[in-house]
Amino acid sequence: MDLIPAPRQTERAEGFYELGDGFGIEAGPGTEDTARWLRATLGAATGLALPPKKGDEYDVLHLSVRPGLDAEEYRLVIAPHGLHIQGGSPAGVFWGAQTLRQLLGPDAFRRAPLSDRTWRLPLTEIRDAPRFRWRGLMLDVARHFMPKDGVLRYLDLLAAHKLNVFHFHLTDDQGWRIEIKRYPRLTEVGSWRARTKFGHRASPLWDDKPHGGFYTQDDIREIVAYAAERHITVVPEIDVPGHSQAAIAAYPELGNTDVIDTNALSVWDTWGINPNVLAPTDNTLRFYEGVFEEVLELFPSEFVHVGGDECLKDQWRQSPTAQERIRELGLKDEDELQAWFIGHFDKWLTARGRRLIGWDEILEGGLAQGATVSSWRGYAGGIAAARAGHDVVMCPEQQVYLDHRQDAGADEPVPIGYVRTLEDVYRFEPVPAELTPEEARHVLGTQANVWTEVMEDHARVDYQTFPRLAAFAEVAWSSLPAPAERDFTDFERRMAAHYGRLDALGVAYRPPTGPRPWQRRPGVLGRPIDGPPPNR
């Protein structure tokens, strides 16, 4: 049946169920959002009205929440007398509806019916549930801004692959993307740059057109609500204390004014690790508390991401203010100063009923008590955090950074990092074998990351993200055997049908045979790394 991600258990019977003009939906308590989604998507694709119907009528899809099933578990039954989707929660019902859509074929992913046709479903029973509770995609909109409609489109793409966390990377050196009402210069100044490096930072090429954009608070509310209707949690990231030049350009007092002239800084126009970091002052803490207060009003998520990665300490070493803070707090060095900075916001968020999550550099200098770790520099940070009793999201750069190149061929556009093929991603294992069962319980799940330095528009983001996100989704959802034992041949067979779904959705994915002519970027310098990535 070519389903992606693969379900746990499928029982196929002979025959088909045909959807007629009178086919309708009975939505039990808690399933109304899924019924509305089905009418908007399948109704548009099929031309069927899908009206509300009662359970004692024929031609009915019954949606219900059933106790005894796990929260995201579902049971889909397609029988001669009707259809049933039961879920352990409204989310489970919604994932069952996503499977139903796949069973109808690629044309069910279009926005209008192509012609009069028969819509048939195979008689079957599917029992399914996810392996992990955190199945995420991180999208960087700071390096290259993605307008709101593009973000909503990506939420639909996540939902179609049963992914349930959207990590929203909103701030960086190259742009501040979220309106903060008490600090208007963050978007007035920090949301745009005068030009942009084209390609890797060593490239001589520039795009001299100003680049920018930001989301108003109402835009954010719409994005969060749209995600919630699809049972996706939006986790915002506000990066501190590194990756902060856009904020410092807007408010120079946030930087290390006793080391450099922060008034001379503008929003950064190139890539790499930036030396201009936040000053560890009370003023900076109060400023970002104000930022996070507005962020918490907009995002109801349990987790708030604070970045914490790639914070160069050179300015702190030179800063009398930073050195005095180290002495005052009785700290050993600048690593412990960053740990103090992150720990402050860990306590601040905990006091407000939220949980801090940060990149694995927050382990350096001592991990804040309640912090969760996004393990990106390989597995080691996640292993250390899990063994120390901290929760972990596994997203190792060498395995699931989708900005890394997909092939070693010369036509691969702006080649970055290691070669990570569709099969490589399919054989990624989020839980390290070194962890005991007790330690492994701290692995909340896994996440693929899309950094957009060399992705100037949504078509480039599509190319880097797909089809590999489909393989990642199966890793995150399905109960697969050990990596070497996974049936990639069967996955490729199912992908043949899935490409049709992606075509119907308008996804500019990388074809299996290589990039199309317009997907190439000849002469644009990348940063390829040869050889297999380290698996640690």
Side-chain angles (χ1 to χ4, degrees):
M1 288 183 285
D2 301 330
L3 297 173
I4 291 177
R8 283 191 178 180
Q9 183 181 347
T10 302
E11 295 180 14
R12 177 78 165 88
E14 292 294 325
F16 291 88
Y17 182 96
E18 189 170 308
L19 275 61
D21 290 337
F23 186 78
I25 301 174
E26 179 191 34
T31 71
E32 295 86 357
D33 283 351
T34 296
R36 190 159 44 246
W37 178 85
L38 284 165
R39 291 189 182 99
T41 54
L42 294 189
T46 63
L48 300 175
L50 306 179
K53 299 190 82 170
K54 295 182 179 179
D56 55 357
E57 299 180 69
Y58 292 103
D59 295 331
V60 179
L61 167 60
H62 306 270
L63 305 177
S64 60
V65 175
R66 287 287 183 262
L69 299 177
D70 291 339
E72 292 189 279
E73 184 179 0
Y74 70 88
R75 180 175 176 235
L76 168 61
V77 178
I78 302 170
H81 58 277
L83 281 62
H84 297 263
I85 300 176
Q86 300 173 347
S89 71
V93 176
F94 182 71
W95 303 133
Q98 291 289 353
T99 298
L100 180 72
R101 188 188 193 189
Q102 287 198 17
L103 290 171
L104 282 168
D107 286 347
F109 290 78
R110 297 190 179 275
R111 296 187 183 184
L114 299 183
S115 61
D116 290 336
R117 57 160 288 181
T118 299
W119 294 93
R120 299 195 311 170
L121 289 162
L123 299 182
T124 189
E125 179 174 341
I126 296 173
R127 296 174 182 266
D128 200 8
R131 179 183 178 191
F132 294 110
R133 60 171 276 203
W134 186 301
R135 308 180 301 280
L137 175 74
M138 190 287 305
L139 181 62
D140 167 24
V141 297
R143 273 52 176 269
H144 278 99
F145 179 65
M146 180 177 285
K148 180 191 69 178
D149 284 354
V151 174
L152 299 178
R153 172 177 174 266
Y154 257 80
L155 290 169
D156 280 329
L157 292 172
L158 263 66
H161 292 83
K162 298 187 175 74
L163 299 173
N164 69 343
V165 176
F166 180 63
H167 176 168
F168 207 8
H169 183 79
L170 289 163
T171 74
D172 218 294
D173 300 301
Q174 296 85 1
W176 185 284
R177 305 296 179 212
I178 177 173
E179 178 187 29
I180 302 296
K181 292 187 181 295
R182 75 186 72 185
Y183 304 128
R185 286 176 59 83
L186 287 172
T187 45
E188 291 171 0
V189 174
S191 70
W192 70 275
R193 56 184 182 262
R195 63 175 188 169
T196 299
K197 176 67 74 173
F198 191 39
H200 182 251
R201 62 180 176 272
S203 166
L205 303 176
W206 292 89
D207 180 351
D208 289 318
K209 181 176 76 242
H211 178 87
F214 67 92
Y215 310 102
T216 68
Q217 294 202 352
D218 281 345
D219 290 338
I220 295 291
R221 291 185 182 96
E222 180 183 356
I223 289 167
V224 170
Y226 194 86
E229 288 175 351
R230 288 148 182 79
H231 301 279
I232 296 169
T233 299
V234 183
V235 175
E237 180 179 352
I238 306 295
D239 221 329
V240 296
H243 288 283
S244 297
Q245 183 162 318
I248 297 169
Y251 292 92
E253 66 272 18
L254 296 173
N256 293 284
T257 57
D258 55 353
V259 176
I260 62 162
D261 178 10
T262 55
N263 288 288
L265 294 177
S266 58
V267 177
W268 213 24
D269 56 12
T270 189
W271 321 121
I273 303 177
N274 191 307
N276 298 306
V277 303
L278 298 174
T281 63
D282 289 342
N283 176 67
T284 300
L285 296 180
R286 300 294 89 77
F287 182 96
Y288 274 88
E289 286 171 0
V291 169
F292 281 118
E293 281 176 6
E294 294 193 27
V295 167
L296 296 192
E297 291 173 1
L298 296 168
F299 296 92
S301 56
E302 177 185 3
F303 290 93
V304 174
H305 208 291
V306 300
D309 62 317
E310 297 179 331
C311 178
L312 297 180
K313 311 296 195 303
D314 294 347
Q315 289 184 356
W316 287 358
R317 292 186 185 98
Q318 300 168 33
S319 165
T321 302
Q323 293 303 310
E324 175 57 31
R325 176 122 279 186
I326 288 173
R327 287 191 293 273
E328 166 197 323
L329 295 169
L331 304 177
K332 183 174 66 175
D333 56 19
E334 290 77 18
D335 284 343
E336 288 195 359
L337 183 60
Q338 177 171 336
W340 164 81
F341 196 104
I342 297 297
H344 173 85
F345 287 103
D346 176 51
K347 297 184 187 74
W348 191 91
L349 289 166
T350 299
R352 288 155 182 79
R354 305 298 184 93
R355 295 180 65 185
L356 180 144
I357 183 170
W359 304 110
D360 56 52
E361 284 95 331
I362 68 174
L363 287 159
E364 298 166 4
L367 186 57
Q369 183 177 355
T372 296
V373 170
S374 297
S375 187
W376 77 273
R377 295 179 299 176
Y379 289 99
I383 291 170
R387 286 176 172 167
H390 290 266
D391 288 340
V392 176
V393 175
M394 283 294 185
C395 48
E397 174 186 22
Q398 304 89 337
Q399 311 297 329
V400 288
Y401 267 36
L402 301 185
D403 44 299
H404 282 218
R405 58 193 172 134
Q406 304 183 63
D407 189 87
D411 289 335
E412 209 62 31
V414 200
I416 299 295
Y418 296 101
V419 172
R420 293 285 84 193
T421 65
L422 183 68
E423 182 172 359
D424 290 330
V425 174
Y426 189 67
R427 297 193 189 280
F428 163 61
E429 172 49 49
V431 179
E434 300 97 308
L435 295 180
T436 67
E438 182 62 34
E439 293 164 347
R441 278 192 274 273
H442 286 290
V443 179
L444 301 180
T446 184
Q447 179 173 290
N449 294 338
V450 181
W451 300 102
T452 63
E453 286 94 337
V454 298
M455 301 178 211
E456 70 276 10
D457 56 34
H458 89 269
R460 280 286 290 124
V461 175
D462 279 6
Y463 179 91
Q464 291 299 134
T465 304
F466 290 96
R468 292 182 296 180
L469 192 68
F472 173 81
E474 184 146 311
V475 169
W477 176 278
S478 305
S479 297
L480 298 176
E485 300 168 11
R486 294 176 187 172
D487 189 349
F488 181 68
T489 300
D490 179 69
F491 179 76
E492 279 190 304
R493 179 190 62 77
R494 288 181 284 122
M495 275 302 300
H498 199 65
Y499 286 121
R501 299 173 192 132
L502 297 179
D503 286 331
L505 289 166
V507 177
Y509 59 85
R510 182 191 188 277
T513 54
R516 297 180 171 96
W518 58 87
Q519 293 175 321
R520 300 166 188 164
R521 297 292 185 273
V524 182
L525 186 68
R527 185 183 59 88
I529 304 174
D530 293 329
N535 190 22
R536 62 178 189 275

